[in-house]
Amino acid sequence: MSTATGVRESGPRAPGSGERLAVLTEGLTKSYGDRQAVTRLDLAVPAGRTFGFLGPNGAGKSTTIGMLCTLLRPTGGRALVAGYDVRREPHEVRRRIGLVFQESTLDGDLTAMETLRFHADLFGIPRRRALDAIMDMLELVELVERRHTPVRTFSGGMRRRLEIARGLLHTPRVLFLDEPTTGLDPQTRAAIWAYLGRLREERDVTVFLTTHQLEEAEHCDRIAIMDEGALVVDGTPAALKAVVGSDVVTLRTADDTAAVRAVAEHLGLEATTGEDGIRVRVADGAAWVPRLCAALPVTVHSVTVTPPTLDDVFLHYTGRTIREADSEATVFPGRPIPRR
Amino acid sequence: MTDLRTSALPQDADADEAAEATKAAEATRAAEAADSGARRGRVAADLRAVRVLWQREVIRFARNRLRIAMSVIMPMMFLLVFGTGLNAAVPAEQAAFRDFRAFFFPGVLLMAVQAPAMAAGASIVWDRQAGFLRQLLVAPVSRPPLLTGICLGGATAGLGYAVPVLCLGGLVGVPYRPELLLVLLELALIAFAFTSLGVLVAVCAGRPETFQIVMGLCMMPLLFLSGAVFPASGLPGWLGTVVRVNPLTYAVDALRRTLPGQGVSGLGGRAAGPEWWGWTPPVVAEIGCVAVLAVAALSVATYRFSRGE
């Protein structure tokens, strides 16, 4: 789309503004045999921002994170994290990144304190400084009182918080979070986002997270949408939504096919069918509702008007909602699902 | 220097080339100066990693009370119930067989170290399942110290479990003499070898089920054909070969020859150790075999582990 809106289509791009970059990938590719999990990915993540990497299950997000964190070897292209090449200087990259995995990677037999102390030892933080840093982090994630209980007894939210604390302990430049809120209840989810928000304010750290929940991506400074292993579009959430521009009117009708035809014939609007009925994209959707209902020869069960969301952005660029893409991923097992 | 690295990548390719050259030269000089320091730092980091992993294994064994209880009770059951039963079953006139329990003692020690050492291998499989392993892999340490730390931890735990069993020695007529300290050293090495083997299987197996099946299939026959449970010297041809290539044979025999007291090597001389073409290897050679096995297993495991995806 136009550069004025701040949205960049994938593909060749103009030279950047000279902003510091936390992550840069050029033609990054990972294939397993002849199956491509990530295809020629070009990403530029400015330092100090929260970057949301978004797409349905199996889009290649986790594979990308795996490559950026030096856990998977790219099969093509290159990636720089905090200024270091993931393939040639993995040790330097590891020193500068924190990582919170999709699933819990804590040892239930250890206490929170031991978990963090071990981590500090692995990263070579001197003893005295480590203790201060550990207490700081425990305070940030509000686990000071529980520091001597085994992690086994922690709730899902507490574990996730401890993992974030661990990921930040060695003051990384980039914190990677793979689906940080999956499997958490809404309340904990909100709390995690509050922590991440505070983090951005208090520390100069770039947060790179993946999610397939679009509401969550709204918290990010920038987002990139990925589908089927390739970058679809990236920009600020506002800019991306501005591209879509219009509201979506969703109608549940007795006969969707007839409804689509009628909308096209009588109103000259293009409608699409989805699992929740037919969708019509118009500016000022509420004003269109009476005209739409009048134009339809079939019974209308319900009408919903939604202002543009990131889901619409996804729909706009890929032709399906992220939920549909997710269910496809589970219906067709042949689709590339990143192996770790 | 750091500033250059972390700031944005240069955008202008033409002007960049000259700058690149000077930067490279600078980098070489800096690298040379920093090299010795960095290497020292690397070694320190590796040692720290070994310590962290070792500590973690030890903590895990020390915290698991059920496992501690089990690992102490099991050998005692073998020694007191199984051993006493066999003792009683042998007719009184076969005096040589009367001290079966003493004969069995090295085998029981072996079982005591084996369980926790195997568990260390299992912990790798579970760690992979639970993701903890991946967390270790993104730490800025090289791979070998990670496995070495786990093996040392398993060995320490195994030793910890063997000590109470060794203390029971008096019950079967093993005198409390300074040689027992040598026995402890041998047990530490044997536990380390067991852990390395467990770790090797764990690294290759991938799934917990596979690990358990492989371990179960291997351990039982190896233990039976080591001379730990019955004298292995009188076995027919092909079984004799298995006994001779079985590393546990040497572990058991070394323990038996080091343990003080007459009863242990008893059974009327039937409990003879392995022979190589008519030559009886000394204890040192037997221990050497176990050590070589341990190092080989750990090396292969490390190689497999470091390959990555």
Side-chain angles (χ1 to χ4, degrees):
Chain A
M1 298 284 110
S2 69
T3 30
T5 57
V7 178
R8 276 179 321 188
E9 296 277 10
S10 58
R13 59 172 67 121
S17 54
E19 210 173 2
R20 284 200 310 140
L21 293 180
V23 176
L24 178 96
T25 72
E26 283 166 349
L28 191 65
T29 302
K30 176 76 183 175
S31 45
Y32 296 103
D34 54 357
R35 189 169 61 80
Q36 294 225 318
V38 174
T39 315
R40 300 201 56 73
L41 184 69
D42 294 326
L43 269 187
V45 180
R49 306 288 177 77
T50 302
F51 184 84
F53 200 37
L54 135 104
N57 287 327
K61 292 170 294 171
S62 295
T63 309
T64 305
I65 284 220
M67 286 191 283
L68 295 179
C69 295
T70 74
L71 281 176
L72 298 174
R73 277 187 86 79
T75 44
R78 64 172 197 149
L80 299 188
V81 176
Y84 290 90
D85 189 303
V86 295
R87 223 181 323 190
R88 271 177 293 160
E89 298 154 301
H91 256 66
E92 298 302 322
V93 172
R94 286 182 198 139
R95 233 185 275 283
R96 286 165 182 80
I97 59 171
L99 191 49
V100 177
F101 289 103
Q102 196 164 350
E103 69 278 20
S104 172
T105 57
L106 294 169
D107 183 341
D109 290 334
L110 302 181
T111 65
M113 198 72 188
E114 286 165 343
T115 303
L116 296 180
R117 226 187 53 224
F118 281 9
H119 188 79
D121 273 354
L122 280 178
F123 278 81
I125 306 173
R127 271 293 157 89
R128 185 129 359 117
R129 200 147 57 77
L131 198 66
D132 290 343
I134 288 172
M135 289 314 284
D136 265 7
M137 286 321 305
L138 285 172
E139 242 159 70
L140 176 76
V141 299
E142 295 171 23
L143 285 173
V144 177
E145 281 83 54
R146 299 294 298 269
R147 66 183 184 276
H148 291 308
T149 31
V151 172
R152 194 171 347 105
T153 62
F154 280 21
S155 70
M158 288 164 71
R159 279 167 191 244
R160 197 31 60 96
R161 267 146 53 195
L162 180 59
E163 282 178 306
I164 292 177
R166 180 176 63 181
L168 285 169
L169 190 63
H170 53 287
T171 50
R173 309 189 69 90
V174 190
L175 177 66
F176 289 95
L177 301 135
D178 196 1
E179 306 269 354
T181 56
T182 301
L184 299 180
D185 57 273
Q187 211 179 336
T188 317
R189 206 173 267 199
I192 297 289
W193 274 107
Y195 290 123
L196 292 179
R198 250 165 72 194
L199 205 67
R200 184 168 30 167
E201 283 163 25
E202 291 173 14
R203 285 157 199 257
D204 179 31
V205 59
T206 311
V207 177
F208 186 112
L209 62 96
T210 69
T211 178
H212 65 281
Q213 271 155 352
L214 294 146
E215 329 67 274
E216 298 207 323
E218 308 266 0
H219 295 277
C220 301
D221 299 319
R222 283 188 87 84
I223 55 175
I225 293 179
M226 195 176 192
D227 192 29
E228 300 190 330
L231 184 67
V232 177
V233 65
D234 68 334
T236 65
L240 291 176
K241 280 189 278 190
V243 172
V244 180
S246 45
D247 298 337
V248 176
V249 184
T250 311
L251 301 108
R252 280 205 308 120
T253 66
D255 182 352
D256 285 351
T257 330
V260 170
R261 214 180 316 119
V263 169
E265 275 171 24
H266 300 304
L267 302 171
L269 291 175
E270 199 189 326
T272 52
T273 47
E275 61 185 42
D276 49 358
I278 74 164
R279 301 192 196 107
V280 187
R281 192 173 293 284
V282 282
D284 197 9
W288 276 87
V289 171
R291 289 167 68 188
L292 276 166
C293 291
L296 289 182
V298 294
T299 318
V300 176
H301 298 304
S302 73
V303 183
T304 330
V305 179
T306 24
T309 63
L310 285 175
D311 208 357
D312 300 316
V313 176
F314 190 81
L315 180 68
H316 177 84
Y317 282 103
T318 67
R320 56 201 174 137
T321 67
I322 204 159
R323 206 175 50 241
E324 286 162 0
D326 260 351
S327 56
E328 269 172 42
T330 45
V331 171
F332 303 114
R335 266 177 55 99
I337 290 165
R339 203 177 51 150
R340 301 123 140 307
Chain B
M1 185 67 203
T2 352
D3 240 311
L4 270 174
R5 305 293 322 244
T6 46
S7 62
L9 300 152
Q11 306 293 341
D12 190 348
D14 288 324
D16 190 38
E17 226 137 301
E20 196 81 35
T22 18
K23 224 166 57 178
E26 248 171 58
T28 327
R29 267 196 304 278
E32 272 162 16
D35 204 36
S36 63
R39 207 172 305 141
R40 221 175 309 129
R42 201 44 100 62
V43 172
D46 286 357
L47 286 180
R48 268 199 313 270
V50 170
R51 196 194 59 219
V52 167
L53 272 294
W54 172 80
Q55 253 183 339
R56 173 167 174 260
E57 286 302 319
V58 171
I59 286 180
R60 278 159 66 121
F61 284 110
R63 294 243 166 100
N64 199 333
R65 285 197 210 110
L66 188 67
R67 192 142 67 182
I68 294 178
M70 274 301 287
S71 65
V72 174
I73 291 171
M74 278 299 279
M76 279 171 58
M77 292 241 292
F78 268 110
L79 197 61
L80 300 181
V81 180
F82 186 64
T84 310
L86 267 179
N87 258 17
V90 173
E93 60 269 22
Q94 299 234 328
F97 281 93
R98 292 302 312 194
D99 45 11
F100 178 79
R101 281 185 305 189
F103 164 80
F104 193 27
F105 191 60
V108 173
L109 280 175
L110 206 66
M111 286 185 211
V113 272
Q114 171 222 328
M118 294 288 112
S123 84
I124 290 194
V125 188
W126 287 114
D127 280 349
R128 178 179 298 171
Q129 202 86 338
F132 183 83
L133 202 60
R134 216 138 24 100
Q135 188 65 47
L136 290 177
L137 292 181
V138 286
V141 288
S142 33
R143 273 51 174 148
L146 296 179
L147 288 189
T148 311
I150 292 175
C151 288
L152 286 176
T156 311
L159 199 57
Y161 286 6
V163 167
V165 180
L166 201 57
C167 290
L168 290 178
L171 286 181
V172 296
V174 175
Y176 297 105
R177 289 221 301 258
E179 285 101 309
L180 287 183
L181 291 176
L182 272 181
V183 173
L184 269 185
L185 282 180
E186 286 175 359
L187 282 171
L189 178 68
I190 294 168
F192 186 74
F194 267 128
T195 322
S196 314
L197 282 175
V199 163
L200 175 62
V201 175
V203 167
C204 299
R207 279 187 311 157
E209 296 83 1
T210 323
F211 175 79
Q212 251 143 26
I213 290 171
V214 172
M215 277 339 252
L217 273 179
C218 290
M219 285 322 298
M220 225 22 167
L222 284 184
L223 199 64
F224 279 148
L225 292 175
S226 69
V229 188
F230 49 81
S233 46
L235 287 171
W238 67 275
L239 274 181
T241 313
V242 177
V243 170
R244 259 193 301 278
V245 298
N246 180 359
L248 292 197
T249 307
Y250 302 98
V252 171
D253 196 52
L255 284 176
R256 182 162 290 144
R257 284 156 74 175
T258 316
L259 276 167
Q262 285 306 304
V264 177
S265 54
L267 290 197
R270 275 160 208 273
E275 282 186 0
W276 291 341
W277 302 280
W279 175 64
T280 311
V283 175
V284 180
E286 293 184 320
I287 286 300
C289 288
V290 178
V292 167
L293 172 84
V295 172
L298 185 57
S299 310
V300 177
T302 304
Y303 171 73
R304 288 283 309 242
F305 188 63
S306 307
R307 264 190 332 191
E309 271 182 272

